Amino acid sequence: MLDIKNYVKVQSLEEAYELCQDRKNIIIGGMLWLKMQNRSVETAIDLCDLGLDTIVEKENEIHVGAMVTLRQLEQDHLLNDYTYGAMKESVRHIVGVQFRNLATVGGSLFGRYGFSDVLTMFMALDAYVELYHGGIIPIQEFANMRPTPDVLVRIIIKKSPLHVVYMSQRNTKTDFPVLTCAVSQINSDYTCTIGARPLKAVTFKDENHLLDSSLSDESIEALANDIAQKAVFGSNLRGSADYRRRISKVLIRRAFQQLREEKKS
Ligand SMILES: Cc1cc2nc3c(=O)[nH]c(=O)nc-3n(C[C@H](O)[C@H](O)[C@H](O)COP(=O)(O)OP(=O)(O)OC[C@H]3O[C@@H](n4cnc5c(N)ncnc54)[C@H](O)[C@@H]3O)c2cc1C
């Protein structure tokens, strides 16, 4: 059971940062992950008064506040037009609507969970994470950093010519994913992000230029085989490493085929 002694709605990011330096205190998002834990918390730090629950379009960027819910990601027109609906696809399988109405982007990313659909999606967008103390850093770097006490303020997506497709494999609807896969073309660069390996997501670039300009089936197959060989997979109760490797080839192939269609439309 989660036991909380005090609750503070902070009035500034600085206040939140100061409070979270004490390991007995904890920042809360939707509390959906936290409430599963057995722990005693001195002070729960709520960011809900800081206006971080909005998705805002800037001239060259899209800012997604840490308190934005997964349901907002799913329904936001700006994000879904920009990502051809991939943002919605990345979150719509997570538990259910009531759950997604509470779970936040900050809570989903800060833990850098090995099963995360959300981390996979934002890594495919080559987004940036703004930390109050740590500053603005690429999400790829953030994913590999050891968690330090800091406040995740927002995610910054740099607007660029983009095509992106998101896919996941689940044993049963609403379960944790067995594998996540997001492929993207940002400017002229293709990437493929594989998550729920069940390790945290990792992004591969088409370094050897295996994809041809028409994204032919043969070139997609070659890249899918290459990534499936390079990626490290693990086993858990949802699937073995070998199963994940096989599934990865299928998801990568299907995702690039869908991306090819997306580019034609
Ligand atoms: C049963 C269940 C099934 C799930 N299935 C999936 C799934 O299929 N796919 C998927 O991607 N995810 C899944 N999740 C994860 C879920 O989507 C959320 O990511 C998770 O619950 C955390 O979101 P939250 O807002 O509730 O964060 P909380 O539980 O409130 O916080 C989680 C952690 O993040 C920290 N934190 C929160 N906000 C900030 C911030 N702004 N700055 C710094 N630290 C912060 C907290 O201190 C805590 O350590 C599942 C979770 C549960 C409980």
Side-chain angles (χ1 to χ4, degrees):
M1 202 177 80
L2 182 68
D3 176 41
I4 298 174
K5 294 204 177 71
N6 306 300
Y7 166 81
V8 177
K9 273 189 190 180
V10 289
Q11 297 306 307
S12 68
L13 288 168
E14 190 181 352
E15 187 185 355
Y17 179 74
E18 293 299 333
L19 278 171
C20 78
Q21 296 316 296
D22 185 336
R23 293 172 70 94
K24 293 195 288 298
N25 302 338
I26 191 115
I27 295 177
I28 55 171
M31 266 187 57
L32 294 159
W33 193 252
L34 282 172
K35 75 174 184 187
M36 311 273 285
Q37 301 175 2
N38 265 328
R39 65 188 288 185
S40 179
V41 169
E42 187 64 32
T43 301
I45 308 158
D46 194 339
L47 310 177
C48 69
D49 278 351
L50 303 184
L52 299 177
D53 57 349
T54 55
I55 299 167
V56 181
E57 183 168 27
K58 304 278 179 184
E59 197 182 338
N60 299 313
E61 297 173 343
I62 300 172
H63 289 191
V64 180
M67 293 297 280
V68 163
T69 65
L70 302 189
R71 184 69 171 160
Q72 282 173 271
L73 294 184
E74 183 180 352
Q75 295 190 312
D76 187 75
H77 289 296
L78 167 66
L79 273 181
N80 281 294
D81 288 349
Y82 180 64
T83 63
Y84 297 82
M87 186 60 79
K88 175 178 180 173
E89 183 56 29
S90 72
V91 294
R92 75 183 178 97
H93 303 280
I94 301 176
V95 188
V97 171
Q98 287 143 313
F99 184 98
R100 298 195 295 277
N101 270 328
L102 293 173
T104 63
V105 172
S108 300
L109 292 177
F110 200 79
R112 288 153 260 215
Y113 306 116
F115 54 77
S116 183
D117 291 282
V118 186
L119 182 63
T120 307
M121 182 65 211
F122 280 104
M123 281 177 70
L125 296 179
D126 204 15
Y128 289 73
V129 172
E130 183 177 336
L131 299 170
Y132 175 72
H133 186 256
I136 298 173
I137 51 174
I139 194 161
Q140 314 283 347
E141 188 182 324
F142 170 79
N144 292 313
M145 272 167 53
R146 247 189 57 238
T148 49
D150 206 339
V151 187
L152 196 158
V153 181
R154 61 178 62 83
I155 310 302
I156 299 170
I157 301 166
K158 308 262 183 201
K159 282 194 277 180
S160 331
L162 169 83
H163 289 281
V164 59
V165 171
Y166 187 89
M167 289 188 177
S168 64
Q169 159 80 10
R170 283 169 156 80
N171 288 337
T172 54
K173 206 174 164 185
T174 76
D175 191 11
F176 288 101
V178 173
L179 200 73
T180 60
C181 170
V183 303
S184 63
Q185 182 185 21
I186 301 178
N187 295 311
S188 57
D189 297 330
Y190 289 104
T191 68
C192 172
T193 304
I194 301 285
R197 302 176 288 134
L199 309 162
K200 71 180 95 156
V202 62
T203 298
F204 296 90
K205 293 187 175 157
D206 180 19
E207 281 162 352
N208 300 325
H209 306 289
L210 295 172
L211 289 175
D212 56 26
S213 55
S214 64
L215 291 184
S216 66
D217 283 345
E218 295 71 28
S219 72
I220 290 174
E221 195 76 34
L223 184 66
N225 287 337
D226 186 52
I227 294 172
Q229 277 318 309
K230 277 193 229 159
V232 175
F233 296 99
S235 303
N236 65 3
L237 64 111
R238 288 183 178 76
S240 67
D242 187 43
Y243 177 68
R244 286 188 160 91
R245 195 175 304 284
R246 284 164 191 242
I247 294 293
S248 72
K249 281 188 208 171
V250 179
L251 289 190
I252 297 167
R253 176 165 48 75
R254 287 184 188 166
F256 271 113
Q257 284 170 342
Q258 191 174 315
L259 190 122
R260 180 176 66 200
E261 296 312 309
E262 198 175 282
K263 279 161 62 95
K264 284 185 198 156
S265 60

